[in-house]
Amino acid sequence: GLPAAPILCSDTTVALGRTIYGKPADAADAARMLRELSGATHRVLTAVAVQNGRRRLAALSTSRVTFAALTAAQIRRYVDSGEPMGKAGAYAIQGAAAAHVPSLSGSYSGIMGLPMYETAQLLRACGFSI
């Protein structure tokens, strides 16, 4: 019984080479992901889509994030904080993990999970005033 409204969705994945990192299954999985990302530059891919009636538009934000080399103790403390759980690649750029990121390029909001520039572009294309 609700009036028709647009639907907005997005999802993020982390990729190191050909390896895809989704959300960790548990603390051990989070620690494994962080060990593999440690000292490396990886891609963060966030897709966003808008469905407005029969019209569907989508965009992809691609960013690069470099992690400093992490010690086993740093990884353990970060995993013990609980922050990696539910996060693609087992980290949240807007949280404590930022202390281990010397550089990034691309969309900060895309790394967080909703690329605002791309989202605004899609909403404008659907006729919404931003």
Side-chain angles (χ1 to χ4, degrees):
L2 296 174
I7 298 169
L8 173 71
C9 61
S10 74
D11 201 10
T12 302
T13 193
V14 168
L16 179 61
R18 295 182 146 273
T19 303
I20 302 296
Y21 297 85
K23 297 173 183 172
D26 54 27
D29 195 31
R32 174 192 61 81
M33 289 182 192
L34 292 166
R35 279 192 305 275
E36 292 174 11
L37 295 174
S38 173
T41 299
H42 60 273
R43 290 174 295 141
V44 178
L45 305 136
T46 301
V48 61
V50 176
Q51 177 89 29
N52 190 24
R54 291 188 172 276
R55 187 172 189 197
R56 180 179 303 159
L57 302 172
L60 177 65
S61 168
T62 302
S63 301
R64 294 192 178 283
V65 177
T66 301
F67 265 106
L70 301 170
T71 66
Q74 288 171 319
I75 291 172
R76 186 174 46 257
R77 278 193 303 274
Y78 186 61
V79 171
D80 287 349
S81 77
E83 189 173 277
M85 304 316 295
K87 308 290 189 301
Y91 74 94
I93 193 69
Q94 70 276 21
H100 305 291
V101 176
S103 68
L104 62 85
S105 64
S107 170
Y108 182 79
S109 62
I111 297 166
M112 285 179 53
L114 182 64
M116 295 306 294
Y117 176 79
E118 290 83 353
T119 301
Q121 295 294 95
L122 293 176
L123 291 172
R124 283 185 191 104
C126 285
F128 293 95
S129 176
I130 303 298

